[in-house]
Amino acid sequence: MDETERQSEERGWATAKTLAEALPYIQVYDRETVVIKYGGHAMGETAVAKQFAADVVLLKLMGVNPVVVHGGGPQISAMLDKAGVKSNFVDGLRVTDADTMAVAEMVLSGAVNKEIAHWITMAGKEADVRGIGLSGKDAGLLTVKKTSRKKRDPDSMIEHEVDLGFVGDPTKVDAKLIRGLIASETDDWVPVIAPIGVAEDGQTYNVNADTIAGAIAGELKAKRMLLLTDVPGVRGADGDIIRQMTVGEASRLIEEGVATGGMIPKLQTAMAAVRAGVEAVVILDGRRPHAMLVELFTEYGAGTLVKAG
């Protein structure tokens, strides 16, 4: 046996050992629902997007029921820039007028949604696992109301209402279609959901993808919700990644100013999802190869887990 063959054999034994160690975790998630919020810079890199799709297919083949909810802020911004439309943000939420809403729906429900579903279908071609693109407008999946936000004037300290335009918050999730797809005994579907919803009056709204993912995960009583971000997890006051915390501890991180910026809405989403019935939410770095597999099927996980208590 030459050196190349020896190294190949060692890799084979290492792979077998990893699979054996993953068995207890695979059984934990068998036939369980895992909602995955997919976004950030990883969406803009083809190689990373293909790897994400392959990992989603692997989850499906291992008995997990993955449901993907995606964002697309950078893609919307790029399209608006091409159209010469300037974006304004309030507390991280895009002010969305009628023209911006039309672009957002086109990008989110169109190009981004269908591309993710396509990559999943391509990755699962041999096993007949297929991605199916949806938005909150399909089958009454997501009912929303206009978002209400207040902002305090730094000089007068007086709060005033901020009109964000066509930005909505979920009020109802009708998950009948999703449940039907993931429970199918004849087909292996992976729902891929764009963050677009409809108000009672029929008006279309753009919705924060993290918020939608949390609402859908709560309605489905998901075993896990994975928030794929651009950071490795939540950092404590000492700067180290916190591997596990309760909802109460997450709330204190916000109150004490340890959690700042974009981490605040992610923790708020995690807390809301857990309160709604999700067993646990994990905030992890979606740019790392196989981060979802490491989180679900290894002892130490790959991010920060938020649970009830």
Side-chain angles (χ1 to χ4, degrees):
M1 180 184 297
D2 62 22
E3 182 62 21
T4 301
E5 290 176 328
R6 188 186 64 79
Q7 290 177 355
S8 178
E9 183 182 45
E10 288 180 355
R11 285 195 296 270
W13 282 107
T15 300
K17 182 174 182 290
T18 299
L19 290 172
E21 290 174 346
L23 179 59
Y25 305 100
I26 294 172
Q27 293 181 90
V28 166
Y29 290 100
D30 185 45
R31 305 303 164 192
E32 296 285 358
T33 297
V34 173
V35 174
I36 305 160
K37 190 293 178 145
Y38 178 50
H41 296 298
M43 289 181 61
E45 301 174 12
T46 300
V48 178
K50 287 183 177 181
Q51 185 61 70
F52 168 79
D55 285 354
V56 169
V57 170
L58 183 56
L59 289 179
K60 188 69 176 179
L61 294 175
M62 294 171 81
V64 179
N65 291 320
V67 176
V68 178
V69 179
H70 66 83
Q75 290 85 346
I76 294 173
S77 295
M79 185 62 73
L80 290 173
D81 288 343
K82 286 183 179 179
V85 178
K86 180 178 174 57
S87 294
N88 295 312
F89 292 84
V90 175
D91 295 335
L93 295 174
R94 189 190 305 271
V95 178
T96 306
D97 59 17
D99 291 339
T100 303
M101 184 64 244
V103 171
E105 183 170 18
M106 176 182 68
V107 172
L108 293 171
S109 297
V112 174
N113 183 263
K114 303 313 174 189
E115 181 176 76
I116 296 169
H118 167 70
W119 287 131
I120 291 172
T121 299
M122 291 299 293
K125 190 173 182 180
E126 296 301 320
D128 205 25
V129 174
R130 290 175 284 176
I132 179 167
L134 306 168
S135 83
K137 296 177 77 169
D138 291 306
L141 173 58
L142 187 69
T143 303
V144 304
K145 65 177 181 179
K146 181 179 173 66
T147 297
S148 177
R149 286 288 187 277
K150 291 184 178 181
K151 194 170 182 66
R152 190 184 300 274
D153 184 276
D155 297 321
S156 66
M157 300 303 290
I158 297 175
E159 284 191 337
H160 62 276
E161 196 78 24
V162 177
D163 187 0
L164 295 172
F166 299 108
V167 177
D169 288 322
T171 59
K172 178 185 176 184
V173 175
D174 185 342
K176 185 182 300 182
L177 176 59
I178 301 175
R179 288 193 177 98
L181 289 169
I182 63 180
S184 174
E185 296 182 357
T186 57
D187 297 285
D188 285 323
W189 298 108
V190 176
V192 180
I193 303 164
I196 299 292
V198 183
E200 295 285 357
D201 62 2
Q203 175 61 52
T204 300
Y205 284 84
N206 186 18
V207 189
N208 179 272
D210 288 358
T211 306
I212 285 189
I216 290 174
E219 177 64 24
L220 293 173
K221 298 296 184 284
K223 181 78 171 177
R224 285 288 184 276
M225 173 177 159
L226 305 180
L227 277 174
L228 303 186
T229 71
D230 299 333
V231 295
V234 183
R235 296 189 183 277
D238 58 3
D240 292 337
I241 298 296
I242 302 171
R243 290 302 173 190
Q244 191 171 120
M245 68 175 75
T246 65
V247 166
E249 290 166 341
S251 181
R252 284 195 292 276
L253 282 181
I254 296 173
E255 293 170 2
E256 295 169 3
V258 176
T260 59
M263 187 53 69
I264 293 175
K266 284 180 171 50
L267 282 174
Q268 290 172 333
T269 294
M271 291 186 292
V274 171
R275 290 176 180 134
V278 179
E279 184 178 287
V281 178
V282 185
I283 300 171
L284 67 162
D285 191 344
R287 299 168 301 177
R288 297 193 65 183
H290 312 303
M292 295 187 295
L293 305 182
V294 171
E295 171 55 40
L296 295 177
F297 303 128
T298 68
E299 181 179 358
Y300 297 105
T304 299
L305 183 141
V306 181
K307 60 180 184 177

